[in-house]
Amino acid sequence: MTLSSKNILFLKKFPPMKEYVITVQETNHPAILKFEANQPLVQAGNYEFKNIDEASESPLAQQLFYLPFIKTVYISGNFIALERFDIVQWEDVKNEVAQQLVEYLNSGAPAVNEQVRQTKVAVTVYAEVTPNPAVMKFVANKKLVPGVFEFKNIDEAVDSPLAQKLFEFPYVREVFMDLNYISVTKYEVADWNEVTMDLREMIREYLADGKPVLKEGAQSKQPEGAGGGSASDPNLDPTSREIINILEEYVKPAVASDGGNIVFQSYEAQSKTVHVVLQGACSGCPSSTYTLKNGIQTMLQNMMGDKVTEVVAING
């Protein structure tokens, strides 16, 4: 009997429970085989597991991963699709796998504990490099925080359970959050190639579990040395308000895309010097001086004429 034919396996079971029947079907991908049941395996949703750790909500998938040739388990509706490693051919193992599925399903055990999935939140997180080699940006497909939050250590992270969890990684030095992303600064002892996946999965799982990023009532704080204020602040002079407007409209979106932030500190009218504070990926970045002088300073000089001669920054 060839792989393209259907193989139907039966396992007799005491009534009145309905007996599961598994039909084996080939797919367009030679490494993937489809095992179709005669009744639904899950009520709603699609479930894909790449390893046994991801399969915590599926006892069936966990059992399948004990087979050394199983690479991926996909469960949806009334079928299970399995992707194999190249160490075996499906022709040699498909019948045994089908028999194992039939025995498992007819034991009454669930394919997926769907009540666990119902508490999950659909969220994706991807990692993005920044100009600062010590900082990696983790971007979510949802809003995480209402404003800028920066934590230099675990003690400062008292209002952020997520930041506290991140500081449990020994190589995490600082955590910066803004709207839908988190910038993590690492110590030199770690290599991003080795730790990025662990951080991304931890953040994704944390968010998917619906856990809070911030405690209720947490307030964004200005970095030490920042003057604060807004373009509408009557206590600021007109030039300072104009500078804040330019930073908010033209500069902040650019630095945010790199995982950082810039905060207005002060303006000295006599020396025509603008002081700003850099946060997140911008803080301590090797290219920040170039960006400051050839980007921000040049922009302010072009837009404000002789009101600005120099921009000076401190790291937040």
Side-chain angles (χ1 to χ4, degrees):
M1 187 175 292
T2 64
L3 185 63
S4 60
S5 63
K6 297 183 178 180
N7 304 281
I8 302 179
L9 297 176
F10 298 92
L11 179 69
K12 292 184 178 180
K13 190 173 181 69
F14 295 107
M17 293 184 68
K18 186 177 180 180
E19 179 182 272
Y20 274 93
V21 178
I22 292 293
T23 302
V24 183
Q25 296 182 335
E26 66 177 0
T27 70
N28 293 329
H29 195 302
I32 299 175
L33 204 58
K34 185 177 179 181
F35 298 82
E36 187 173 303
N38 62 331
Q39 51 189 305
L41 303 176
V42 292
Q43 297 301 315
N46 304 316
Y47 302 84
E48 184 177 20
F49 310 105
K50 297 289 188 181
N51 53 62
I52 197 170
D53 292 328
E54 288 186 5
S56 59
E57 60 191 309
S58 174
L60 173 55
Q62 287 186 319
Q63 181 171 312
L64 288 167
F65 276 118
Y66 283 112
L67 300 174
F69 53 84
I70 295 298
K71 182 178 181 180
T72 305
V73 178
Y74 182 85
I75 304 174
S76 179
N78 70 328
F79 74 88
I80 302 167
L82 301 178
E83 181 181 7
R84 62 169 173 79
F85 287 106
D86 292 336
I87 58 174
V88 300
Q89 296 298 315
W90 276 122
E91 187 65 35
D92 299 327
V93 297
K94 63 180 181 180
N95 290 337
E96 289 78 4
V97 173
Q99 183 67 35
Q100 181 174 324
L101 290 174
V102 171
E103 292 175 356
Y104 177 91
L105 295 171
N106 282 320
S107 73
V112 177
N113 291 320
E114 293 192 275
Q115 67 274 18
V116 176
R117 173 59 66 94
Q118 290 170 0
T119 65
K120 296 281 187 177
V121 178
V123 61
T124 59
V125 176
Y126 67 89
E128 188 177 281
V129 297
T130 74
N132 190 338
V135 179
M136 186 69 70
K137 180 181 177 184
F138 298 89
V139 185
N141 64 334
K142 57 178 286 184
K143 186 176 180 179
L144 303 178
V145 291
V148 172
F149 291 81
E150 186 174 38
F151 309 103
K152 297 291 189 180
N153 52 61
I154 195 170
D155 293 328
E156 289 187 6
V158 63
D159 288 333
S160 174
L162 175 53
Q164 288 182 319
K165 292 293 291 183
L166 287 168
F167 277 116
E168 290 179 5
F169 291 94
Y171 48 80
V172 171
R173 181 176 178 179
E174 297 176 13
V175 177
F176 176 84
M177 302 177 177
D178 188 6
L179 298 181
N180 71 326
Y181 72 87
I182 300 170
S183 291
V184 175
T185 304
K186 69 172 179 64
Y187 287 103
E188 292 184 3
V189 66
D191 188 316
W192 282 125
N193 292 326
E194 299 173 355
V195 303
T196 297
M197 185 62 70
D198 289 340
L199 286 174
R200 185 187 71 83
E201 282 303 302
M202 178 264 150
I203 294 171
R204 186 189 66 80
E205 283 293 326
Y206 186 96
L207 298 175
D209 287 339
K211 296 177 181 178
V213 176
L214 300 171
K215 290 182 178 179
E216 188 174 352
Q219 297 292 323
S220 177
K221 298 178 182 179
Q222 289 288 339
E224 185 177 349
S230 66
S232 58
D233 189 343
N235 295 319
L236 294 176
D237 62 272
T239 302
S240 293
R241 293 200 295 270
E242 186 178 357
I243 292 169
I244 292 175
N245 265 329
I246 294 172
L247 293 178
E248 291 286 339
E249 184 174 356
Y250 298 100
V251 180
K252 279 197 174 185
V255 297
S257 67
D258 287 335
N261 187 42
I262 184 169
V263 180
F264 173 79
Q265 183 188 47
S266 64
Y267 171 71
E268 297 177 0
Q270 185 174 0
S271 62
K272 301 178 181 180
T273 301
V274 179
H275 295 267
V276 296
V277 179
L278 300 178
Q279 295 178 285
C282 297
S283 180
C285 177
S287 62
S288 62
T289 301
Y290 177 87
T291 301
L292 190 73
K293 296 299 181 182
N294 295 277
I296 301 172
Q297 180 173 293
T298 300
M299 177 183 292
L300 289 174
Q301 289 172 337
N302 290 338
M303 299 182 75
M304 300 186 66
D306 59 2
K307 293 180 181 178
V308 174
T309 58
E310 185 181 15
V311 176
V312 177
I314 64 171
N315 292 319

